[in-house]
Amino acid sequence: MGKLFERFPDPLARLLVVFLALVVVGLVVVFGLIPKSMMDVNAQWADAVKREEARPIKYAGFHACAECHEELYATKKKGYHRDLSCETCHGPAKAHTEDSDNVKPVIPAARTFCPQCHAYNPSRPRGFPQINPVAHNPLKPCASCHNPHDPKPPTTPKECSACHGEIARMKAVSHHVQLECTTCHDAPQRHKVSPRSVRPSKPGTREFCGKCHGKDATDKRAKNAPKIDLAEHGEKYVCWQCHYPHSPEVEQ
Ligand code: HEC
Ligand code: HEC
Ligand code: HEC
Ligand code: HEC
Ligand code: HEC
Ligand code: HEC
Ligand code: HEC
Ligand code: HEC
């Protein structure tokens, strides 16, 4: 190397030699050593396609399930889960479509599965059906109450007895059997949807019961009601201090 530089005493010429040497090395690397496929975009794409094609196919797509699970396919298509692919819940099932006797897809039975989409989360779209998985009917699997292939939105119970069964059954065999719950309670429709935040009224005074039981009661439903003297009977206490309003039996 030293000898080489002795032949070029001029520093500028030495620099030129080094520069030329670098150019030669660069050309060798670019055209000789780097494989063509690393520089040619078209070749890279072709390689990528080959690589992806070589992978085993895992998902069949949900139209593939229709062939053998016609009924389930049709049911799901009409329901609230219509936009979910079968394999969203059952996992990749290509192998199952090819050998349904020996390869079974997963069945997501755990209670942790559905809350991935249905647990409360403020980032979900407004109005999306959500529940608190800890408090919402714990212990039982979700599918024991909801058909995963055709979930239905909750229906509002029509009768008070749907939730107040004990009271309704008690009243049914009492002297107040003819009275509707709403004779004594103003129950807004919303109470049936959000019972704890919207509450019905409850009678608050002796005069309320007096409408039917007072000596000179005028209510048309008071005809058969036994009468008491409101000023004297039971002193100043509210009536339900002594009479349970849902079963006001008087022992003879
Ligand atoms: C070639 C017919 C065929 C195709 C296509 C097919 N299945 Fe099945 N599948 C079956 C048969 C047969 C059974 C067993 C039926 C039984 O046990 O009652 C089955 C059972 C299942 C089960 C229950 C497994 C178990 O452990 O009980 C699931 C879940 C299932 N299939 C999902 C799918 C999904 C998802 C697809 C679409 C990706 C699909 N199948 C496509 C034939 C098919
Ligand atoms: C929301 C999730 C979900 C989707 C979407 C879904 N499944 Fe299911 N699937 C379940 C669950 C959970 C069970 C277990 C039900 C049970 O335990 O009663 C099940 C059970 C099954 C079974 C076996 C028992 C049965 O009911 O016959 C088959 C077969 C099946 N699914 C096929 C399908 C096919 C085909 C599709 C698409 C058309 C599909 N599933 C879509 C969650 C799902
Ligand atoms: C014991 C039966 C039962 C079980 C188990 C159950 N649910 Fe429900 N679910 C109901 C009833 C009844 C309603 C409607 C009344 C209500 O809102 O509480 C409902 C309502 C829902 C709603 C609709 C809420 C709305 O505001 O629109 C979703 C979503 C739901 N459940 C998901 C689940 C999931 C997920 C699981 C499992 C972690 C589950 N449920 C377990 C009975 C059940
Ligand atoms: C990948 C997300 C996803 C999974 C997993 C899922 N769901 Fe859903 N669920 C939805 C979507 C989307 C809707 C339709 C919501 C709408 O129409 O507003 C829905 C609707 C429902 C409804 C109707 C409630 C209503 O008030 O409209 C119920 C009940 C329900 N799902 C229960 C379940 C159960 C039980 C499981 C588990 C077996 C489950 N879901 C798994 C996405 C999911
Ligand atoms: C979906 C279930 C449901 C239905 C349907 C329902 N209730 Fe209730 N109701 C409740 C629950 C739960 C409470 C208890 C709230 C609490 O104690 O936090 C309640 C409380 C009440 C109370 C007591 C309010 C208070 O402040 O103490 C009255 C009165 C009542 N309900 C009357 C009715 C009448 C009348 C109807 C029919 C028109 C009715 N409810 C229908 C669930 C229901
Ligand atoms: C004759 C009037 C009357 C009728 C009819 C009546 N209630 Fe009441 N209810 C009352 C009174 C009064 C109270 C308040 C009792 C108290 O504060 O101790 C009450 C209290 C309640 C409460 C609060 C919890 C409790 O047991 O004290 C509920 C829930 C309730 N009623 C539901 C109903 C339902 C459901 C029906 C129909 C099946 C019904 N009521 C019919 C008068 C009535
Ligand atoms: C809309 C009218 C009406 C209202 C309001 C009413 N009741 Fe009655 N009640 C009756 C009628 C009618 C009977 C008798 C039914 C029968 O035995 O045929 C009766 C019977 C009774 C009895 C007699 C039971 C027996 O063994 O003879 C008692 C006690 C009673 N009610 C208490 C109350 C109390 C307390 C209230 C207020 C919370 C109340 N009632 C509100 C109509 C009413
Ligand atoms: C301190 C307890 C007490 C209070 C408060 C009370 N009662 Fe009574 N009530 C009784 C007893 C005890 C009887 C049965 C003995 C009797 O007839 O005096 C009775 C009987 C009745 C009877 C049946 C009368 C008959 O002839 O069969 C009615 C109706 C009645 N009460 C309504 C009311 C009403 C309405 C109120 C509120 C204004 C009320 N009670 C408040 C204790 C009470």
Side-chain angles (χ1 to χ4, degrees), residues 2-23:
K3 277 204 180 131
L4 182 71
F5 279 131
E6 274 168 25
R7 289 164 70 184
F8 300 100
D10 184 353
L12 209 61
R14 287 182 180 179
L15 209 61
L16 198 65
V17 168
V18 171
F19 177 73
L20 284 175
L22 281 177
V23 168

Side-chain angles (χ1 to χ4, degrees), residues 14-46:
R14 287 182 180 179
L15 209 61
L16 198 65
V17 168
V18 171
F19 177 73
L20 284 175
L22 281 177
V23 168
V24 169
V25 169
L27 288 175
V28 166
V29 168
V30 169
F31 290 105
L33 296 180
I34 300 180
K36 188 161 172 271
S37 65
M38 275 184 77
M39 294 185 301
D40 181 354
V41 186
N42 287 328
Q44 280 175 18
W45 283 342

